[in-house]
């Protein structure tokens, strides 16, 4: 007679029981990605100076961007843009949430008409929980500039997206504006992406001010010069995507287009 001890029998039974397969940690912790784009749209006028906002819409659609920061955006401004609310039109055209920051707000051309505005906009595929526009300093009385912020909910992760357009005629004003932006970034307390037309090349002091707290995505994920201006003969990099600590750049590219006098910059980043 063959005798099997209790311990051996238990081991045999356990070998025959199918083991439950635990989910892999890599699948459970897959990083969230966000595609961000910045574009100075020149109030919808292309490199040929013809007004054609539909061209801008096609660039944004084809880019697949989740969040877009736009500069030089008209809202009922004047005949150069057919008095159109360009941010609202693009949002409807692309099915995206819209926030607008008016840095210039002028009296309407006639009683009862909307105010004539010019500024920046943020378009987002994700819901926007809060937004605000902060006027930036202009110590030399240059054109009024602003910093537009939007808090967005990316599938449960709160992200702050900012867009700006710094003064083009004065470095001292750009420096003052960069310092003001830094004070906002320091108080953010959440993953932050800043995009915009900084009117300054990478070695400029004002870019150095902003990269105290934010990383230039192009330096880690872009290839080549990254020139964005002007669209017909690019020779300067003045349009940027910058990210706070923990935001990692996976890739970045300058998109070829004649829909504006600038070229857009797209970046895919992972969120912390």
């Amino acid at each position: 007679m063959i005798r099997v001890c209790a311990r051996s029998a238990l081991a045999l039974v356990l070998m025959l029981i199918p083991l439950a397969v635990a989910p892999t940690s890599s699948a459970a912790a897959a990083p969230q990605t966000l595609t961000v784009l910045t574009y100075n749209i020149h109030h919808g006028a292309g490199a040929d100076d013809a007004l054609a906002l539909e061209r801008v819409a096609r660039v944004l659609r084809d880019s697949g961007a989740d969040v877009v920061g736009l500069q030089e955006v008209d809202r009922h401004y004047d005949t150069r843009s057919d008095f159109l609310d360009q941010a609202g039109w693009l949002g409807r055209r692309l099915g995206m949430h819209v926030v607008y920051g008016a840095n210039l707000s002028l009296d309407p051309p006639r009683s009862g008409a909307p105010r004539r505005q010019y500024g920046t906009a943020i378009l987002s595929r994700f819901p926007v929980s809060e937004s605000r526009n902060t006027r930036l300093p202009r110590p030399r009385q240059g054109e009024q500039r602003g910093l537009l912020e939007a808090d967005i909910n990316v599938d449960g992760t709160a992200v702050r997206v900012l867009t700006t357009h710094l003064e083009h005629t004065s470095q001292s004003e750009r420096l003052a504006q960069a310092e003001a932006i830094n004070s906002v970034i320091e108080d953010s307390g959440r993953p932050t992406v800043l995009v915009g037309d900084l009117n300054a090349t990478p070695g400029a002091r004002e870019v150095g001010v902003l990269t105290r707290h934010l990383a230039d995505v192009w330096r880690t994920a872009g290839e080549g010069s990254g020139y964005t201006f002007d669209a017909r003969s690019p020779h300067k990099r003045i349009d940027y995507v910058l990210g706070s600590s923990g935001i990692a750049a996976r890739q970045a590219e300058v998109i070829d287009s004649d829909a504006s006098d600038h070229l857009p910059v797209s970046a895919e980043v992972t969120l912390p």
Side-chain angles (χ1 to χ4, degrees):
M1 178 182 293
I2 299 175
R3 294 182 179 178
V4 180
C5 70
R7 181 178 299 174
S8 298
L10 177 61
L12 182 61
V13 169
L14 290 175
M15 289 176 61
L16 297 175
I17 297 175
L19 296 177
V21 179
T24 62
S25 58
S26 60
Q32 284 184 305
T33 63
L34 189 70
T35 301
V36 184
L37 183 139
T38 185
Y39 201 6
N40 180 325
I41 66 169
H42 193 220
H43 57 265
D48 56 4
D49 213 31
L51 178 65
L53 197 59
E54 176 61 29
R55 288 188 294 193
V56 174
R58 287 198 298 267
V59 171
L60 302 183
R61 178 200 65 199
D62 294 346
S63 74
D66 300 307
V67 183
V68 177
L70 301 175
Q71 306 86 45
E72 294 196 17
V73 186
D74 281 359
R75 196 179 196 186
H76 313 297
Y77 192 74
D78 69 9
T79 55
R80 74 181 186 184
S81 49
D82 290 338
F83 291 97
L84 183 68
D85 174 0
Q86 295 187 318
W89 186 90
L90 286 169
R92 291 188 298 274
R93 176 73 173 78
L94 299 169
M96 301 176 81
H97 302 278
V98 181
V99 294
Y100 185 78
N103 298 321
L104 299 181
S105 186
L106 310 177
D107 289 338
R110 63 187 182 281
S111 178
R115 292 189 66 79
R116 301 169 53 227
Q117 296 179 327
Y118 173 75
T120 58
I122 294 172
L123 310 180
S124 173
R125 298 194 189 282
F126 299 100
V128 177
S129 60
E130 189 176 350
S131 66
R132 68 173 179 171
N133 190 53
T134 302
R135 290 194 165 194
L136 297 176
R138 50 188 191 112
R140 294 187 176 273
Q141 301 304 303
E143 181 182 300
Q144 181 63 63
R145 307 288 174 150
L147 177 69
L148 179 61
E149 306 170 59
D151 290 335
I152 65 174
N153 185 332
V154 182
D155 296 330
T157 299
V159 180
R160 180 158 291 172
V161 177
L162 308 92
T163 189
T164 194
H165 183 195
L166 301 188
E167 171 60 36
H168 68 294
T169 61
S170 167
Q171 185 180 47
S172 63
E173 291 212 347
R174 289 194 297 273
L175 283 166
Q177 291 162 359
E179 292 288 3
I181 292 170
N182 263 356
S183 66
V184 173
I185 293 168
E186 289 172 342
D187 294 337
S188 175
R190 66 187 62 188
T192 299
V193 178
L194 169 68
V195 305
D197 175 0
L198 303 185
N199 275 313
T201 54
R205 290 171 58 199
E206 51 272 42
V207 176
V209 168
L210 291 172
T211 52
R212 288 180 201 155
H213 303 290
L214 301 175
D216 180 357
V217 165
W218 190 264
R219 289 193 178 278
T220 56
E223 294 184 5
S225 64
Y227 290 162
T228 58
F229 186 81
D230 61 23
R232 285 192 162 173
S233 56
H235 60 281
K236 291 194 294 187
R237 181 159 84 94
I238 60 175
D239 300 272
Y240 296 80
V241 177
L242 308 176
S244 63
S245 176
I247 291 180
R250 299 181 66 170
Q251 63 179 24
E253 66 171 326
V254 175
I255 298 172
D256 187 27
S257 170
D258 62 356
S260 171
D261 60 345
H262 286 242
L263 298 176
V265 180
S266 173
E268 182 182 330
V269 300
T270 59
L271 303 177

